[in-house]
Amino acid sequence: MYSHDVVIVGSGLAGLRAALEMAGHLDVAIISKVYPSRSHSGAAQGGVAAALSNMDGDSVEAHTYDTVKGADFIGDQDAIEILCSDAPRTIIELEHYGCAFSRTDENKIAQRAFGGHSFKRACYSADRTGHALLHTLFEQSMKRGAELQIYSEWYVTRLIIEDGICRGVVALDIKTGKLEIFHAKTILFATGGYGRAFKITSNAYANTGDGITAAYKAGIPLQDMEFVQYHPTGLYEHGILLSEAARGEGGYLINSDGDRFMSKYAPTKMELGPRDIVSRSEQTEINEGRGAGPKKDYVLLDLRHLGKAKIMERLPQIYHLAKDFIDVDAIKDPVPIQPTAHYSMGGIPADNDCQVFLNETELCKGFFAAGECSCISVHGANRLGTNSLLEALVFGRRAGKKMLHATNEMKFSPVNEKKEISAAKLEIDKLLYNKGSEHLASIREELQETMTYKVGVYRNANDMEQAQQKVNELKDRFTRVKVSEKGKNFNVNIQEALELSHMLEYSELIVAGAKARKESRGAHSRDDYPNRDDENWMKHTLVFRQPDGSCELKYKPVRVTRFEPEERTY
C-alpha cells in the first residue's frame, strides 16, 4: 500500500495546477494512466478566455454574461462569476510560469474572437494553446522534484469511500499488472471527459470516463450527464478537432452550394455563434440535403481567403491535420468537416471549492473534483469555447488551496486493504477468465454508433428508447466478453475491457437524463420538445446508482444571482 497526504488522479491542467498549489507543503502524488505530457489538455487548440485590458469595452461582467447566456441559463452563476473574475489573474500567472502566448505588435498577449463571446478575449499560442499550457505546468511540476511524486501509467479502478469519507483509491500498475491501494487524507479526481462513448469524437482514446464511473460506483451521484457538447468542426469521418480558432481568424462555413449558411441561423454572430447552435445548423444543412461530398454528409470549412501566411502563422496545426489525415490542402481547398462529440458538461457534482457532493446538499469528506470530470456547472447546458482551459486552471488552483487547508486538518482514515484489493481483483478476474465469445471491439463499435446516431446533435423519444434498449443489450453481452490477452505486463486488452465497462455504465446515464429532460436546452436538443422550458426544467439532473445497478434521477435548483433567464438569440 502506498501512502501520501494527497493523491491526485489525472495529470492534465486541473491536476497539475492543484498539485503545484500543494507541493512543498504536503506529500503530494499524481496518478495518471498516461504520461503527463500526453494528457488530453494538450489537445486544446484555440485559446483560453480572459477579459484583459487589451480589448476596449470588455469586462469581467461581460465575460460572465456571455458564459451564463452560452450555458443557456442553467449554469450556476456564482461559480461562473468566480471563473470569469479569476481569469485575468490566471493568464498573468501562466505567463509568469513561462507560457509562450502569441503576441501583438505592441507585445501584449494576443487575443482572438471565439464563438459566443462578445469581445476578442481568447488568449492563444498559435493553435496549440493547450499544448503550451500543459507543458508549462508540467515543467513547473518537474521543477519541484521530490516535492511531487508522479506515478505514470497507473490505472485507477476503484474509489474507496466509507461513511461519507474518501479514503483512497485502488490502482493497477499497467507495467506489471499489480493492484495497489493509494491511501490518502484527501483525493482529487481530475480525470477528464468521456467522449469516447461516441463514434465521431475529438476526444483522445484515454477519455473513457474512468473517474466519473469510479465515483458513481462508490456512491457519488453524477450531475447533468445529458449535456454532451458537439464541436462544429471535427475533421470528416475522423472527428479530430479543427479548432474554433479557424473561425475566430475569419474562416467560413459553407454548404454544397457554396453558401455561408450561418446567416440563416445566427445572423449577428455568423460562424462565431455558440457551438451548440453552429453544430445544429451544420446538421440541419446535412439533413436537408445541402451537405457536400458523394454522400452529402459533411459541410466545408473554408480558409482559402485568409491566405497562406496567416494560415501558417495562426493555424499551422489545422493545416497539417487536414493535410495529414484526409489529404486536403486548406490553403487551396475547403476542408470537409462534421459535428464531433467534444466536451462533457456533466460529471461529478462539486461546490465552488471543488468539494464533491454525496447527495443534493451533503459533501463527501476528503473528496474533490476539478476540470472536465467535475460538474461545478460553470458551463451549464453548453460550454463556450476557451472556457474549458480556464475552468481547469481556475478550479485546479481553487481545489489545491482548499485541499491544502483541509488535508492539514485531517487524519488518515483506515482502509480494509484486503477487502478493497479483493474487490478490484474480482472485477479483473471475471474479465480475464470469462468463457464467453463476445468481442470487445464489436460491443464498443455498436455502443459508439448508437450514441452518435441516437443520442447525438438531435434527439427524440423514439431514438433514445432504442438507445436505452441497445445499451442494456450491450451491457448484457459484455458479461460474456472474451479477453484474449491473459498476461500481466502491459495488458492493454484488460484495460480496454475495463474502459468499455465504464463507457457502458455512463452511456446509460446520458440516455436516462436525456429521456427525462423534456425540453431543448443548449447541447440537449429534442425534435419532440423543441423549446426551452424554464418553468419545469430550470434545474440540474442528479443520477444516483441503486443497489441493483439501476439508476434513479433526482433534481436540484440552478443558482441564479444576477442574470434572469431570457431568450437566447445571436
Side-chain angles (χ1 to χ4, degrees):
M1 182 162 66
Y2 294 84
S3 184
H4 298 275
D5 292 332
V6 175
V7 167
I8 296 169
V9 184
S11 59
L13 291 186
L16 288 175
R17 185 60 192 84
L20 291 176
E21 204 63 30
M22 295 180 280
H25 304 285
L26 296 168
D27 175 14
V28 180
I30 295 177
I31 304 174
S32 178
K33 74 173 181 179
V34 298
Y35 192 73
S37 59
R38 291 182 56 226
S39 296
H40 193 53
S41 296
Q45 296 171 357
V48 53
L52 303 180
S53 57
N54 297 358
M55 294 293 115
D56 291 339
D58 198 8
S59 65
V60 168
E61 183 176 23
H63 187 187
T64 302
Y65 173 74
D66 288 346
T67 301
V68 171
K69 182 180 178 182
D72 219 345
F73 295 91
I74 205 175
D76 288 325
Q77 293 183 23
D78 55 343
I80 292 171
E81 288 173 17
I82 290 170
L83 176 79
C84 301
S85 297
D86 202 33
R89 183 210 59 77
T90 299
I91 297 302
I92 293 168
E93 176 182 73
L94 265 294
E95 185 185 33
H96 289 178
Y97 276 162
C99 184
F101 289 108
S102 295
R103 318 297 294 194
T104 66
D105 292 340
E106 296 80 29
N107 204 32
K108 295 179 179 180
I109 293 174
Q111 293 179 282
R112 58 166 57 117
F114 246 70
H117 291 276
S118 53
F119 293 89
K120 293 181 178 180
R121 61 171 71 102
C123 309
Y124 62 92
S125 180
D127 59 352
R128 301 186 181 96
T129 310
H131 179 90
L133 292 169
L134 179 65
H135 280 257
T136 297
L137 291 187
F138 187 44
E139 288 163 4
Q140 290 294 319
S141 72
M142 291 293 96
K143 182 180 175 181
R144 301 304 177 99
E147 296 176 359
L148 179 60
Q149 187 160 354
I150 298 177
Y151 297 86
S152 292
E153 297 187 320
W154 283 74
Y155 183 69
V156 169
T157 64
R158 189 173 174 85
L159 175 66
I160 305 169
I161 295 176
E162 289 183 14
D163 303 321
I165 302 171
C166 186
R167 301 162 188 255
V169 297
V170 181
L172 177 73
D173 183 347
I174 295 171
K175 179 181 178 181
T176 65
K178 187 177 181 181
L179 288 163
E180 295 279 6
I181 285 179
F182 284 78
H183 195 199
K185 297 178 183 178
T186 56
I187 299 283
L188 171 67
F189 270 19
T191 55
Y194 45 88
R196 292 309 303 184
F198 296 81
K199 180 180 179 181
I200 304 297
T201 179
S202 64
N203 281 207
Y205 283 98
N207 285 23
T208 50
D210 308 311
I212 62 166
T213 308
Y216 180 63
K217 288 183 174 181
I220 300 296
L222 298 180
Q223 181 172 316
D224 290 345
M225 291 293 289
E226 62 266 38
F227 295 117
V228 179
Q229 179 179 78
Y230 271 71
H231 194 290
T233 52
L235 197 62
Y236 176 59
E237 290 191 330
H238 294 272
I240 297 167
L241 181 65
L242 298 186
S243 172
E244 197 166 320
R247 287 171 286 135
E249 295 293 348
Y252 299 154
L253 295 176
I254 58 176
N255 59 22
S256 58
D257 298 324
D259 296 332
R260 289 179 66 190
F261 54 83
M262 285 308 301
S263 60
K264 296 185 291 185
Y265 305 101
T268 63
K269 289 287 188 181
M270 293 293 286
E271 285 85 1
L272 290 175
R275 289 174 176 174
D276 60 326
I277 291 176
V278 181
S279 290
R280 285 195 295 275
S281 303
E282 291 179 354
Q283 196 62 50
T284 299
E285 292 293 301
I286 293 167
N287 292 350
E288 294 182 356
R290 293 184 293 277
K295 300 178 184 177
K296 293 188 172 294
D297 57 347
Y298 59 79
V299 293
L300 297 162
L301 174 64
D302 192 354
L303 306 176
R304 293 173 295 179
H305 56 286
L306 301 181
K308 179 178 180 179
K310 189 171 186 178
I311 290 172
M312 298 312 293
E313 177 194 351
R314 303 283 183 86
L315 308 169
Q317 185 171 218
I318 288 174
Y319 174 82
H320 289 295
L321 288 171
K323 185 67 176 168
D324 293 345
F325 282 90
I326 59 173
D327 196 28
V328 171
D329 186 337
I331 295 169
K332 300 177 181 178
D333 298 298
V335 182
I337 56 164
Q338 65 187 133
T340 182
H342 179 62
Y343 190 85
S344 316
M345 271 77 73
I348 301 169
D351 70 6
N352 294 346
D353 289 317
C354 306
Q355 298 177 104
V356 171
F357 285 99
L358 268 174
N359 49 45
E360 294 93 327
T361 57
E362 186 182 3
L363 293 171
C364 178
K365 189 174 182 181
F367 187 31
F368 296 76
E372 192 173 352
C373 75
S374 71
C375 187
I376 300 168
S377 203
V378 291
H379 308 306
N382 172 66
R383 177 177 68 77
L384 292 188
T386 69
N387 273 353
S388 61
L389 296 179
L390 179 63
E391 179 203 13
L393 294 166
V394 167
F395 287 97
R397 176 176 178 264
R398 287 182 72 87
K401 285 185 174 295
K402 185 66 177 180
M403 291 175 75
L404 178 58
H405 174 74
T407 307
N408 280 325
E409 295 191 344
M410 290 180 68
K411 296 179 180 179
F412 284 97
S413 298
V415 171
N416 187 331
E417 184 175 4
K418 184 177 180 181
K419 171 190 166 187
E420 298 298 336
I421 291 289
S422 294
K425 187 174 185 299
L426 179 63
E427 182 181 10
I428 290 172
D429 285 350
K430 278 184 177 178
L431 294 168
L432 276 176
Y433 304 114
N434 198 329
K435 301 297 184 182
S437 58
E438 291 282 354
H439 294 286
L440 282 171
S442 298
I443 295 174
R444 183 172 55 235
E445 183 177 352
E446 289 183 46
L447 173 66
Q448 292 169 334
E449 291 262 353
T450 299
M451 295 302 291
T452 294
Y453 298 114
K454 299 296 183 181
V455 202
V457 175
Y458 285 110
R459 302 166 172 179
N460 60 66
N462 183 55
D463 282 350
M464 289 189 290
E465 178 62 33
Q466 292 178 40
Q468 189 172 54
Q469 292 174 8
K470 187 65 175 179
V471 171
N472 289 336
E473 174 203 319
L474 294 174
K475 289 181 77 172
D476 177 64
R477 286 170 54 189
F478 184 79
T479 64
R480 299 182 296 279
V481 78
K482 180 181 180 181
V483 175
S484 55
E485 174 58 53
K486 307 298 183 184
K488 296 288 187 180
N489 295 0
F490 291 107
N491 188 338
V492 177
N493 211 204
I494 192 65
Q495 184 178 326
E496 288 180 342
L498 290 168
E499 289 171 338
L500 180 54
S501 73
H502 300 158
M503 291 159 63
L504 289 164
E505 188 88 36
Y506 68 73
S507 293
E508 180 181 25
L509 311 184
I510 294 171
V511 178
K515 277 185 67 180
R517 185 173 286 275
K518 294 179 171 61
E519 66 160 356
S520 288
R521 186 186 297 268
H524 172 67
S525 185
R526 292 188 58 156
D527 298 330
D528 46 356
Y529 293 94
N531 299 316
R532 197 179 77 192
D533 181 359
D534 290 338
E535 183 177 349
N536 295 304
W537 288 102
M538 188 73 177
K539 55 190 178 184
H540 296 296
T541 305
L542 286 175
V543 56
F544 292 78
R545 194 171 195 262
Q546 300 305 296
D548 64 356
S550 64
C551 62
E552 179 185 6
L553 299 178
K554 297 183 180 180
Y555 297 91
K556 69 176 186 179
V558 175
R559 300 193 298 274
V560 177
T561 59
R562 302 168 64 187
F563 304 107
E564 292 296 327
E566 62 187 45
E567 185 181 3
R568 183 170 172 253
T569 57
Y570 291 92

